[in-house]
Amino acid sequence: SPSVLASIVNLFALLLALDSLHHAITMAYLNSWKSFRYVFIAIVSFAAKDASSFIQLHCVSRSSLTKSCQRYCEALPDFHIADESTVSSPFVIALTREDGKNVKLRNALVSNERIGHLSDSYGFPVQLHELPCIEHAHGPDAEKLPPTLSSSQYDYIVITSPEAAKVMASAWIEVGRPKLGMVAAVGKATQETLNEFGIDVAFVPSKATAATLVKELPPSNSAIEAGRATTAFYPASAKAKDTLQNGLEKRGFTVFRLNTYDTVPASWDADQISLAQCATVACFASPSAVKAWLKNTAHLETPRALASCIGETSATACRENHWAEKNIFYPEKPGIDGWTNAVADALEYLTKT
């Protein structure tokens, strides 16, 4: 009868509306509350209209995405972290420095106007997750560091990372803060770490790389006056390349290197692996972090994350490990500000390709 037929039609409409409501709730997370409000109004209106008009509306919500964003979003499984709701977004950034050392980058990313504009324009939340790739351990020469600082005098002590600064400064304090030679720091972050321990820095190169430090470090005046080679003590990571040591020796310096600490890959739990699988941009501050990321993600089938590097050294490690050049982003001059812009560049690339 007509009344029965009408009831069937209304029931069918209600079922379609409920199904669409489920999708709309998902869209609320993807496209912000504003989009959800419009879709919900459409659902209410739909109960009295035929299905084809709503199906067309339902598909429009993702039409503004580029193919690249769609590819990443479809490749990303939903994930749940602590008390957060299940969310999918193509803007998932992994912060890979050691545990507790991602605060400066996180704050810079949160306040970056370009990143905020991208989030607002495309209606996706930008998610930041800490995924430490490396941990520090004692190096083979760790026990030699305190007596070297207390009994030997060098024209320079050359420090090439904040961790090397921390290790050296701790040993220096342990042996009673003996007089040091001039201290050279590879960059601003290393200089700041040394200053925090009360150690003055005499030299910082124009660019925070070992190669630039090698070119710009001047010979010691006292060494020149005495007619001898400038001496440099280099407490380093066991995994640091020989760029600085070999470069200074070619310039006539006498370099004494101790491998005072080491970097080892961090072990990830299931939640961290899930986060890595969802990441579309990974932030790297060292070649060791690049290698550890690859080791922990080798078995994953999702697209390899874009690499946002603090500087050229980490970017080179990405190239050597077969990242496509178009998927590597880094500033000309290492530092937090440039690194933040490199992340913004990577996110923009996701929306344009």
Side-chain angles (χ1 to χ4, degrees):
S1 67
S3 61
V4 173
L5 180 60
S7 297
I8 294 173
V9 171
N10 288 336
L11 179 59
F12 177 72
L14 179 60
L15 291 173
L16 283 176
L18 289 173
D19 179 68
S20 301
L21 178 60
H22 171 266
H23 288 288
I25 291 170
T26 301
M27 291 163 61
Y29 291 107
L30 291 175
N31 300 329
S32 80
W33 169 252
K34 183 177 180 181
S35 298
F36 171 74
R37 182 179 62 193
Y38 293 146
V39 176
F40 183 80
I41 292 170
I43 292 170
V44 174
S45 301
F46 166 70
K49 297 181 180 180
D50 69 55
S52 62
S53 62
F54 181 78
I55 291 172
Q56 184 177 7
L57 173 64
H58 176 72
C59 294
V60 168
S61 65
R62 292 174 67 96
S63 63
S64 63
L65 285 176
T66 64
K67 290 181 179 179
S68 176
C69 276
Q70 288 184 26
R71 175 171 64 88
Y72 274 98
C73 197
E74 290 164 2
L76 301 182
D78 288 342
F79 58 92
H80 181 76
I81 302 299
D83 294 327
E84 297 178 10
S85 300
T86 302
V87 180
S88 287
S89 171
F91 299 155
V92 182
I93 303 171
L95 311 179
T96 69
R97 270 186 159 168
E98 307 92 289
D99 191 24
K101 294 188 177 181
N102 290 295
V103 175
K104 287 185 179 179
L105 179 59
R106 175 184 284 274
N107 291 342
L109 292 173
V110 168
S111 62
N112 185 270
E113 292 184 1
R114 288 175 61 200
I115 294 175
H117 178 71
L118 282 171
S119 178
D120 292 340
S121 298
Y122 288 90
F124 286 103
V126 175
Q127 299 178 354
L128 304 175
H129 297 290
E130 289 201 38
L131 279 174
C133 280
I134 59 173
E135 299 172 342
H136 289 123
H138 289 301
D141 300 327
E143 294 182 358
K144 298 178 183 178
L145 179 58
T148 299
L149 291 172
S150 62
S151 63
S152 303
Q153 188 69 30
Y154 294 89
D155 296 313
Y156 285 107
I157 297 178
V158 183
I159 308 297
T160 56
S161 73
E163 183 63 23
K166 179 180 176 182
V167 172
M168 189 277 289
S170 297
W172 174 68
I173 293 172
E174 178 186 331
V175 293
R177 305 173 189 260
K179 183 179 178 181
L180 301 174
M182 294 181 290
V183 177
V186 74
K188 182 178 178 181
T190 302
Q191 179 183 18
E192 289 176 351
T193 302
L194 289 163
N195 290 161
E196 288 172 1
F197 285 93
I199 297 175
D200 294 329
V201 174
F203 177 81
V204 180
S206 61
K207 186 176 180 180
T209 65
T212 305
L213 193 154
V214 165
K215 292 178 182 178
E216 297 180 355
L217 187 67
S220 162
N221 288 332
S222 59
I224 294 173
E225 293 172 0
R228 59 174 177 80
T230 297
T231 58
F233 174 41
Y234 177 33
S237 164
K239 289 186 172 60
K241 293 184 177 180
D242 294 332
T243 303
L244 187 140
Q245 180 179 350
N246 291 345
L248 289 178
E249 288 176 346
K250 286 180 180 179
R251 288 187 54 202
F253 285 59
T254 299
V255 180
F256 177 58
R257 171 173 174 167
L258 287 180
N259 293 321
T260 58
Y261 73 99
D262 200 0
T263 54
V264 296
S267 298
W268 289 351
D269 59 25
D271 285 343
Q272 289 173 312
I273 292 173
S274 294
L275 283 175
Q277 189 173 7
C278 295
T280 51
V281 179
C283 302
F284 298 122
S286 69
S288 295
V290 172
K291 294 175 183 176
W293 176 274
L294 291 176
K295 179 179 179 180
N296 281 318
T297 61
H299 63 288
L300 301 181
E301 296 180 358
T302 47
R304 180 178 285 191
L306 303 181
S308 173
C309 302
I310 193 172
E312 186 177 349
T313 302
S314 298
T316 299
C318 289
R319 292 190 193 97
E320 292 173 349
N321 285 279
H322 311 299
W323 255 273
E325 186 65 34
K326 65 181 181 179
N327 294 337
I328 304 172
F329 303 84
Y330 65 99
E332 180 179 351
K333 196 168 183 178
I336 293 293
D337 291 341
W339 198 5
T340 303
N341 284 323
V343 174
D345 291 340
L347 296 179
E348 285 184 352
Y349 177 82
L350 279 176
T351 67
K352 293 178 180 179
T353 55

